[in-house]
Amino acid sequence: MPRYLFISDLHLEPERPDITRAFFDFLAQETPGIDVLYILGDLFEVWLGDDHLSEFNLSIIHALKKTTERGTAIYILHGNRDFLLGETFCRMSGCSLIDDYTTLDVAGMRYLLMHGDALCTQDTAYQQFRQQVRDPQWQKDFLTKPLAERLAFAQQARAASQQANAQKSIAIMDVTPQAVIDTLEKYPAQVLIHGHTHRPNIHHLQTRKGIAHRIVLGDWYEQESWLTIDEKGISTYEM
Ligand code: LP5
Ligand code: MN
């Protein structure tokens, strides 16, 4: 049976070399023997475009490439910080982009994979922002701007986001329970795996199609966090 690993929300950035080191160690130690590594969004704190080939970004691309060349496929989903990851990044790193709502069948179970931000439907200000920045024409225009200008936009957006989040309730910034049920019934899957909320947990819920589960992956700010699915079943790790 194939072996799968899942991570999300590493938020890699030059200012946190400890997280980058932990990620490199993770790739070296945990991925040998793994068939597929799924990165469910926000691998990077901010991704300004595939032409932003800083020394830092290149070091991550190189580590991913080494891993894919060793025989572990890497599938990556867009997060709300790195939704501009594109084809050039994929070519250089050996990763493949997958979409929100990708399903995976393992041992008779269907898993549904998402970053998680699309499920925060009560956060209407965020959903509006998301719709704008996920628009292909908006992205095309944005990517023609010089890097310095893109960086300034990203900094403004971060500041606006932090200010907005301070006013929002915890419930608004979490997934909407009904949106989770609707999504699991629509696809349909028994297990949803997502990140984004930084609230690692396993939730059990009732849908019209039966009992379902929602596994929330943790971020890497304070510790490494991952999930495996293999012959032993589903296991979560926090180190
Ligand atoms: O990111 P986090 O965890 O703090 O909060 C998220 C939601 N916020 C975002 C915004 C990002 O943090 C911004 C950085 C993205 C960098 C992308 C790179 C280049 C693109 C630059 C784009 C201009 O995702 C937050 C959610 C929270 O998760 C929980 O789900 O609530 O949503 C918001 O804060 C949205 C605000 O409520 C409204 C929009 C603020 C941004 C306005 C941008 C204006 C400046 C730029 C002009 C185009
Ligand atoms: Mn996120």
Side-chain angles (χ1 to χ4, degrees):
M1 164 180 169
R3 303 171 73 200
Y4 303 93
L5 254 179
F6 299 83
I7 54 173
S8 78
D9 300 281
L10 287 83
H11 292 267
L12 298 175
E13 57 173 336
E15 287 71 21
R16 287 292 305 267
D18 54 323
I19 305 181
T20 306
R21 248 191 323 272
F23 179 52
F24 289 168
D25 289 347
F26 164 83
L27 289 178
Q29 289 159 21
E30 304 300 331
T31 64
I34 295 292
D35 296 278
V36 187
L37 166 64
Y38 283 95
I39 305 177
L40 300 187
D42 289 353
L43 173 64
F44 293 95
E45 172 75 356
V46 166
W47 188 261
L48 297 172
D50 288 2
D51 55 339
H52 184 216
L53 296 174
S54 60
E55 198 182 322
F56 176 76
N57 287 346
L58 282 171
S59 71
I60 309 295
I61 287 172
H62 178 71
L64 294 167
K65 180 79 177 161
K66 240 171 59 183
T67 306
T68 53
E69 280 176 352
R70 237 194 2 243
T72 299
I74 303 182
Y75 293 148
I76 186 163
L77 253 172
H78 284 141
N80 57 303
R81 306 293 194 88
D82 54 12
F83 54 83
L84 290 173
L85 286 169
E87 287 311 317
T88 304
F89 165 82
C90 286
R91 212 169 34 249
M92 292 177 76
S93 63
C95 296
S96 306
L97 275 168
I98 55 168
D99 292 324
D100 259 342
Y101 309 102
T102 290
T103 55
L104 167 69
D105 291 314
V106 186
M109 284 274 239
R110 172 157 294 177
Y111 296 84
L112 182 65
L113 312 179
M114 300 180 72
H115 178 54
D117 57 328
L119 294 165
C120 302
T121 54
Q122 293 178 87
D123 194 343
T124 48
Y126 171 66
Q127 294 303 333
Q128 247 170 19
F129 173 75
R130 185 180 196 272
Q131 208 177 358
Q132 181 188 348
V133 299
R134 297 297 182 102
D135 176 63
Q137 189 56 49
W138 183 92
Q139 293 193 356
K140 219 171 138 203
D141 293 345
F142 186 76
L143 290 171
T144 60
K145 295 182 196 303
L147 266 173
E149 207 176 311
R150 279 182 259 163
L151 178 63
F153 272 122
Q155 281 166 344
Q156 270 184 56
R158 286 296 304 126
S161 177
Q162 272 160 5
Q163 220 174 11
N165 288 0
Q167 314 294 325
K168 288 179 195 168
S169 71
I170 286 183
I172 282 188
M173 287 196 290
D174 203 349
V175 300
T176 308
Q178 191 59 45
V180 171
I181 292 174
D182 293 347
T183 305
L184 282 164
E185 286 175 352
K186 182 171 172 196
Y187 279 88
Q190 290 86 39
V191 186
L192 167 64
I193 307 178
H194 71 84
H196 181 63
T197 61
H198 302 196
R199 297 177 209 189
N201 208 337
I202 301 181
H203 303 269
H204 309 286
L205 47 127
Q206 182 73 45
T207 72
R208 272 188 280 127
K209 300 196 190 294
I211 297 284
H213 315 276
R214 176 167 72 92
I215 304 178
V216 189
L217 301 175
D219 63 80
W220 282 45
Y221 285 131
E222 307 297 337
Q223 66 200 329
E224 293 115 82
S225 169
W226 67 87
L227 173 86
T228 58
I229 301 178
D230 57 22
E231 58 285 352
K232 296 196 284 285
I234 302 176
S235 327
T236 53
Y237 292 87
E238 296 218 317
M239 303 268 185

